[in-house]
Amino acid sequence: MHFFIFILTLLSIKFLSAEELNLFTTRHYDSDVEIFKDFTEETGIKINIISGEAKPLEKRILDEGESCIGDLFFLADAGRLVSAEKKGVFRKVNSVSLKQQIPEQFRSNYWFGITKRARIIYYNPTKTSLKELENLNYEDLSHQRFDKSIAIRQSNNVYNQSLVASMIENNGVLKTKEWLKSFVKNFSKPPSGNDRAQILSVASGESKLAIANTYYHALMASGKKGKEQQNAAKKVKPFFPNQKNRGTHMNISGIGVLKHSPNPSNAIKFIEFLLSPKAQKHIVDNTYEYPMIDSVEPSTIIIQMGINFKQDNQTNVSSYGKWQKEAFKLMKDANWN
Amino acid sequence: MELNKFLTGTNSTSVLDNILYYLVLAISIFSIIPFFTIIINSSLVNFDYSLLIESQFLTYVRNSFMIVSCVLILTFIFGVFSAYLVTFHNFYGANFFKYALILSFAIPPYIFGYSMSAFFENYGVGYSIINFFFDTEMANIYLPDFSPITNSVISLTFTLYGYVFLLSRASFINQSANLIDLGKSMGFTPSQRFLKIILPCARPGIFVGLSLVAMETLSDFGTVSFFGVSTFTTGIYNSWFIFDDLETSNFLSLLLLFFILVFFTIENLSRKKSKFHLLKNDRRNKKTDLSGKKKFFAFLFCLSLFTVSFIFPFSQMIYWSIKFPEYFENLNILKLNLNTFLIIFCTASLIIAFSLISNFGNRVFKNKLLSSFSNLSISGYAIPGIIISVSIISFLSLISGISNLNLKTLFIGSFYGLILGYFFRFYAISFNGIKSNYLKINYSIDESSYLMGFNKFKTFYEIHWPILKKNIFFIFVLISIEIIKELPITLILRPFNFETFSIKAYNFASQDLIEAAAIPSMFLIFWTSILILISLNYFFDEDK
């Protein structure tokens, strides 16, 4: 029996040389894979990948424990990074260069933000004038003048949870609860579809305002989804809220080294590579996110949307993890489906 | 010589019997591992039962109930009526549709959902078509805006009605012409004959079809989450993904399983009272010609069904693949095909071998313990894939924790683990398929075989196997179709760098690039269609 298991084990595990890194990721971009290949060319270290959803991967890593051969976990939401950190998925990393490159609110001792995304408002200039939106904050979206005019996706979406979590962090539970009640009444239709569906709803005139992450609009504008979508993208304009106070809500994609990583030093090397100007440029040009380091510009499409806006640099993204569950409860209580 | 001794030897029979008995018991116990792990992990004692009366939970139940009822009613109408038309009547295309309508099996509900949403969304495919002909910006307004529940019901109905079609047609084919003639001579109109004779006689088949539809609908996550409906399965996911509460998630899965089992029991009990027989020498039905108008409507009905369920999603995938050929570049199509074939071959062979042994053992021992374990072993089919994967991970951790065996390394993130996951999920298909064929072999044949001096194993080898093997290929195809379409288990348990068509399609769809997801989806549909086509003869074995 033991012999049998031994043979099966031999067959199932590739003997890992130091020249491999195993990465779990919840980002599904092919462009990520392309830049990983550059890392392999530069260092000779091969990157093996499993993509999937956050919680199942987290469960797999935790239950595998010491026998987990994974080195890194790449997640597309700050709240999820915090949740993984709390459960002991990551190991502490002391890297001076990482600390220098990443602003404090976008990292912890366990994980590091690699890219940023902004959750902003889209409007249709033929239906809504820019003047109507002057000095608009997320907080103002509960106002009666937006009755039945806002398109936003469902409450089970993690970006919405993080947005509401950031409002709880800044305004408190009670105020956010009140805000949600009136905000949900302003929905133009029952939430369904992804962020792009909300932008399209504004483009077609069905809704006045949409809340969506910037890269959805950029993807449409890029023509990767065909001419019609590109034309529809031109019908809407981005608006960056909360410019007179804390700034527009930012979220991150971030990565951490796994607690039982067989190759932690290479894993850190890999994170440092992801923050190199070359890798940052490649990622943001393909995914239309915002770069983490200042020396790199976003993609041309994102620049055209406007990059001189105030990003929320005062709310630590860790707070999203702290408040996400509460946020979801409040959203559900307010009948946000 | 050795084999002969094995088959006829009398001395070793009792030892072999014992081995077989324990082997079957082991297989049955093995296949209910997920079921037990879910019970253990749902902590029934400490569970906060007040959750069950919260409004959120009631919404899950209400929506699930609504979707299941609508899907059942619609699949019943579409499946039974189309099967009735192609079995009992001649009209243009009837012979084509009797096969073509099965192709709906090739489309996974979530891919149907993708194409529906891409067609009806603002500035989507439907918009482009209207815009092309009429050059109007108003196209968005003309297109219907379905609610999330309607969208889910439509996607599930058109991808699942095939079960009802297939099983009711199989029952219709076997129906006695004498009974129907009797109806005619009693002056029944065609619709009376349909309602009073044909339909009641086909009840067992239709019910099995509907229960498969119900199980698939209840455990579906891909479609309802894509459209954003809060159902039982989304509840299972939300408790875990958002509240980090795997216990509640397990508890809800158990509850889901319980509902499904209740449903089955009621069906079984209701059927026990009536008996359905087909006399061997009974005449088969002759098809009747439909009159002008009816002929046209029969054709139109089947054509619409085929177009919506198969042509609509498949043609969109082809359209995108041609329109966006650049997405071919990032696909290693050869490797994806190889991965798919390898996993299908290994898993299907294992599942079939195990269910053959288990069925054989159940037949020869007629043991209550064995049969009750075996009946439970099909529960895997009703458990959502993601919960199966989690229970495998939990179980392996448990075993590794209490013993020295490091099973985690062996099974989590390996090819074997993937096979294990598929085994638990799809064992029911094979077990039930072989079981239904076994039931067709009369027990008196076994007794005659023993009288002739054959032992159990020789009876299997010489008598059962020749009868069963015809259908093994068909079961192989059914399992393969399910594996190709499978998503959640593959996502969690696969080894590094291992991808399948469904994983690729999911990855692109997650990037909001349904255009790119079209290529893997197209391959997925292509292979499942091929599998269906090469096994067409087996679908209607008796239709000669």
Side-chain angles (χ1 to χ4, degrees):
Chain A
M1 182 65 187
H2 281 93
F3 178 74
F4 175 66
I5 287 181
F6 175 71
I7 295 292
L8 281 179
T9 315
L10 280 189
L11 288 170
S12 68
I13 318 169
K14 274 190 245 162
F15 277 106
L16 291 170
S17 62
E19 297 313 291
E20 277 190 335
L21 279 174
N22 293 319
L23 167 81
F24 291 102
T25 174
T26 61
R27 286 164 58 94
H28 305 288
Y29 298 109
D30 275 354
S31 53
D32 279 7
V33 181
E34 287 163 20
I35 195 67
F36 299 165
K37 282 182 188 153
D38 277 20
F39 176 73
T40 307
E41 271 173 31
E42 278 179 23
T43 60
I45 302 169
K46 195 184 163 214
I47 307 289
N48 300 314
I49 305 163
I50 291 184
S51 60
E53 292 184 71
K55 293 290 163 181
L57 289 179
E58 185 187 276
K59 167 87 179 155
R60 176 172 158 177
I61 294 166
L62 286 171
D63 274 18
E64 276 193 272
E66 286 176 26
S67 39
C68 181
I69 54 167
D71 297 290
L72 294 143
F73 195 14
F74 203 174
L75 286 149
D77 172 72
R80 287 180 172 157
L81 285 161
V82 172
S83 150
E85 175 189 330
K86 275 190 190 155
K87 287 190 196 125
V89 167
F90 298 126
R91 71 163 65 198
K92 210 169 179 176
V93 169
N94 268 320
S95 160
V96 179
S97 98
L98 290 178
K99 276 186 182 159
Q100 277 170 354
Q101 292 194 73
I102 307 169
E104 205 184 339
Q105 72 273 25
F106 297 129
R107 62 175 156 82
S108 80
N109 287 326
Y110 295 86
W111 47 261
F112 304 91
I114 301 296
T115 57
K116 292 184 279 187
R117 44 271 297 277
R119 195 152 185 78
I120 66 163
I121 296 170
Y122 286 92
Y123 68 101
N124 186 331
T126 60
K127 310 264 175 188
T128 310
S129 70
L130 189 56
K131 203 164 167 36
E132 280 177 73
L133 302 178
E134 214 177 333
N135 294 332
L136 191 77
N137 303 312
Y138 296 109
E139 284 78 358
D140 302 325
L141 292 174
S142 61
H143 203 274
Q144 223 172 359
R145 70 185 155 120
F146 296 117
D147 186 37
K148 295 198 172 54
S149 54
I150 298 168
I152 188 164
R153 72 200 282 184
Q154 291 180 296
S155 55
N156 63 9
N157 173 254
V158 74
Y159 305 136
N160 280 341
Q161 288 158 20
S162 285
L163 174 65
V164 176
S166 79
M167 298 184 72
I168 297 179
E169 173 73 8
N170 285 295
N171 308 329
V173 173
L174 281 179
K175 267 195 178 165
T176 309
K177 192 176 178 178
E178 286 308 308
W179 175 79
L180 274 166
K181 272 186 199 159
S182 325
F183 174 64
V184 171
K185 282 184 193 142
N186 287 345
F187 289 179
S188 56
K189 58 190 177 69
S192 77
N194 60 14
D195 278 7
R196 190 172 48 83
Q198 319 309 321
I199 298 172
L200 287 169
S201 175
V202 171
S204 72
E206 183 186 36
S207 307
K208 261 175 107 176
L209 304 176
I211 295 176
N213 281 1
T214 34
Y215 51 86
Y216 282 92
H217 182 232
L219 184 69
M220 289 162 69
S222 72
K224 284 185 189 170
K225 292 187 70 70
K227 263 246 134 12
E228 282 81 9
Q229 294 280 316
Q230 199 170 21
N231 289 336
K234 287 178 190 154
K235 294 179 199 293
V236 302
K237 291 252 177 289
F239 179 85
F240 297 90
N242 292 65
Q243 292 304 294
K244 297 274 177 200
N245 43 62
R246 64 180 184 271
T248 297
H249 172 74
M250 304 300 286
N251 203 335
I252 57 163
S253 266
I255 193 166
V257 180
L258 295 181
K259 194 173 186 178
H260 301 292
S261 158
N263 307 300
S265 58
N266 279 347
I268 296 170
K269 215 185 271 177
F270 178 71
I271 301 179
E272 286 166 352
F273 168 80
L274 289 179
L275 286 156
S276 67
K278 182 186 169 191
Q280 288 272 303
K281 188 69 194 147
H282 177 91
I283 296 174
V284 297
D285 275 353
N286 283 283
T287 64
Y288 310 112
E289 293 165 289
Y290 294 90
M292 188 53 74
I293 58 173
D294 291 337
S295 58
V296 168
E297 280 199 333
S299 85
T300 333
I301 298 172
I302 291 290
I303 293 175
Q304 282 163 2
M305 274 191 208
I307 48 169
N308 294 322
F309 66 96
K310 184 176 174 188
Q311 300 183 3
D312 181 356
N313 285 336
Q314 76 181 51
T315 314
N316 194 311
V317 294
S318 298
S319 63
Y320 306 168
K322 189 167 85 187
W323 294 114
Q324 255 177 11
K325 287 178 199 172
E326 184 66 35
F328 183 66
K329 258 188 218 156
L330 296 183
M331 289 153 97
K332 280 290 181 192
D333 286 345
N335 285 328
W336 184 341
N337 82 345
Chain B
M1 184 63 197
E2 277 296 301
L3 179 72
N4 209 28
K5 197 176 163 196
F6 170 79
L7 294 172
T8 53
T10 42
N11 296 340
S12 54
T13 306
S14 59
V15 179
L16 279 177
D17 272 8
N18 276 335
I19 293 175
L20 178 69
Y21 180 83
Y22 287 110
L23 188 62
V24 176
L25 193 64
I27 291 175
S28 308
I29 293 176
F30 177 70
S31 51
I32 45 180
I33 285 175
F35 183 70
F36 276 113
T37 318
I38 292 172
I39 294 184
I40 295 166
N41 289 336
S42 54
S43 68
L44 295 170
V45 185
N46 301 326
F47 187 74
D48 178 11
Y49 285 91
S50 65
L51 267 182
L52 299 185
I53 45 164
E54 270 191 14
S55 66
Q56 196 50 44
F57 178 77
L58 296 176
T59 316
Y60 296 153
V61 176
R62 198 181 52 231
N63 285 346
S64 284
F65 181 75
M66 184 116 139
I67 290 180
V68 171
S69 328
C70 292
V71 171
L72 282 178
I73 293 170
L74 289 172
T75 48
F76 174 77
I77 296 172
F78 292 148
V80 171
F81 195 55
S82 56
Y84 165 74
L85 287 175
V86 297
T87 315
F88 290 101
H89 299 290
N90 278 322
F91 57 92
Y92 185 70
N95 279 327
F96 167 74
F97 289 124
K98 77 179 179 193
Y99 296 130
L101 291 177
I102 310 173
L103 283 177
S104 61
F105 270 120
I107 318 273
Y110 59 91
I111 288 186
F112 195 95
Y114 296 165
S115 36
M116 251 193 91
S117 125
F119 188 88
F120 289 107
E121 73 180 3
N122 289 315
Y123 303 98
V125 178
Y127 167 87
S128 305
I129 295 172
I130 298 179
N131 206 31
F132 178 78
F133 288 110
F134 303 105
D135 193 23
T136 165
E137 271 289 299
M138 302 293 280
N140 287 322
I141 297 166
Y142 300 136
L143 286 165
D145 198 4
F146 296 121
S147 75
I149 289 193
T150 316
N151 270 321
S152 312
V153 168
I154 294 175
S155 304
L156 288 161
T157 298
F158 285 105
T159 46
L160 297 178
Y161 81 93
Y163 285 112
V164 185
F165 172 79
L166 207 62
L167 286 150
S168 42
R169 184 163 146 70
S171 311
F172 289 159
I173 289 169
N174 287 323
Q175 268 181 19
S176 152
N178 293 344
L179 267 182
I180 294 166
D181 286 346
L182 185 71
K184 273 184 199 164
S185 57
M186 284 171 74
F188 282 9
T189 61
S191 52
Q192 278 175 324
R193 288 202 295 271
F194 175 69
L195 292 174
K196 293 193 170 161
I197 300 170
I198 297 174
L199 213 51
C201 285
R203 204 183 96 192
I206 295 173
F207 219 109
V208 173
L210 287 174
S211 46
L212 287 171
V213 171
M215 274 209 267
E216 292 265 353
T217 307
L218 280 172
S219 63
D220 166 81
F221 175 70
T223 324
V224 286
S225 75
F226 180 71
F227 289 118
V229 189
S230 295
T231 64
F232 228 94
T233 30
T234 24
I236 293 173
Y237 278 61
N238 283 349
S239 3
W240 183 20
F241 285 21
I242 298 170
F243 291 115
D244 246 327
D245 183 358
L246 197 51
E247 283 183 4
T248 305
S249 182
N250 271 315
F251 181 80
L252 291 177
S253 316
L254 202 64
L255 215 56
L256 178 71
L257 204 61
F258 174 73
F259 284 145
I260 292 170
L261 287 178
V262 166
F263 185 73
F264 264 96
T265 317
I266 294 172
E267 194 271 327
N268 261 326
L269 288 177
S270 75
R271 203 147 39 116
K272 264 187 186 150
K273 288 182 192 150
S274 22
K275 290 212 179 325
F276 300 85
H277 285 297
L278 169 71
L279 299 173
K280 272 286 166 222
N281 299 326
D282 229 344
R283 283 184 303 123
R284 287 283 163 77
N285 276 294
K286 282 215 176 84
K287 283 187 172 187
T288 53
D289 286 327
L290 283 174
S291 63
K293 225 184 203 171
K294 282 183 181 167
K295 208 175 190 169
F296 175 70
F297 281 115
F299 168 73
L300 195 68
F301 179 76
C302 292
L303 180 72
S304 318
L305 202 53
F306 178 58
T307 311
V308 176
S309 65
F310 186 75
I311 302 286
F312 166 70
F314 194 37
S315 58
Q316 274 196 93
M317 299 301 154
I318 295 176
Y319 165 74
W320 282 319
S321 304
I322 296 169
K323 196 173 168 194
F324 300 95
E326 62 269 28
Y327 293 125
F328 269 101
E329 280 170 28
N330 297 329
L331 282 182
N332 190 343
I333 290 177
L334 187 70
K335 197 173 174 198
L336 285 172
N337 278 315
L338 275 177
N339 281 350
T340 307
F341 288 129
L342 191 66
I343 197 89
I344 283 177
F345 186 78
C346 297
T347 314
S349 310
L350 181 86
I351 294 181
I352 289 174
F354 274 32
S355 40
L356 264 177
I357 298 171
S358 176
N359 266 300
F360 174 61
N362 269 300
R363 185 179 173 93
V364 295
F365 294 122
K366 291 181 194 155
N367 179 303
K368 273 205 173 147
L369 180 72
L370 276 191
S371 77
S372 45
F373 270 124
S374 302
N375 285 337
L376 261 185
S377 68
I378 58 165
S379 58
Y381 196 59
I383 306 175
I386 195 160
I387 298 296
I388 291 218
S389 333
V390 172
S391 62
I392 291 176
I393 296 177
S394 307
F395 179 76
L396 292 172
S397 311
L398 188 77
I399 294 296
S400 304
I402 55 176
S403 72
N404 285 329
L405 296 173
N406 193 353
L407 294 176
K408 287 192 281 187
T409 323
L410 191 59
F411 285 110
I412 303 179
S414 79
F415 197 67
Y416 310 117
L418 213 46
I419 294 179
L420 201 65
Y422 296 144
F423 174 85
F424 290 134
R425 180 93 170 87
F426 302 127
Y427 180 68
I429 300 178
S430 170
F431 182 84
N432 274 353
I434 292 173
K435 187 177 169 185
S436 67
N437 278 300
Y438 244 135
L439 289 177
K440 287 184 193 158
I441 308 173
N442 205 311
Y443 278 101
S444 58
I445 295 179
D446 289 23
E447 280 153 21
S448 318
S449 157
Y450 299 149
L451 282 176
M452 282 165 67
F454 287 9
N455 69 7
K456 294 187 180 78
F457 300 96
K458 194 161 184 186
T459 307
F460 173 78
Y461 187 72
E462 300 273 345
I463 295 168
H464 298 165
W465 174 247
I467 302 174
L468 295 176
K469 72 176 179 196
K470 227 175 38 174
N471 267 286
I472 297 288
F473 175 72
F474 178 51
I475 291 168
F476 188 93
V477 168
L478 285 184
I479 299 173
S480 308
I481 293 174
E482 293 284 353
I483 294 175
I484 296 182
K485 295 195 282 186
E486 209 287 328
L487 185 62
I489 295 176
T490 324
L491 261 180
I492 303 172
L493 290 176
R494 68 203 164 113
F496 281 96
N497 302 332
F498 184 89
E499 290 182 315
T500 62
F501 289 117
S502 58
I503 296 274
K504 270 286 167 198
Y506 164 83
N507 274 350
F508 284 124
S510 312
Q511 289 174 54
D512 195 26
L513 278 174
I514 290 184
E515 296 79 3
I519 297 165
S521 304
M522 194 178 67
F523 271 97
L524 190 154
I525 298 172
F526 172 76
W527 282 122
T528 39
S529 303
I530 293 284
L531 283 168
I532 291 170
L533 291 175
I534 56 174
S535 59
L536 274 183
N537 283 335
Y538 295 88
F539 274 104
F540 301 118
D541 198 24
E542 293 88 352
D543 189 19
K544 301 271 159 61

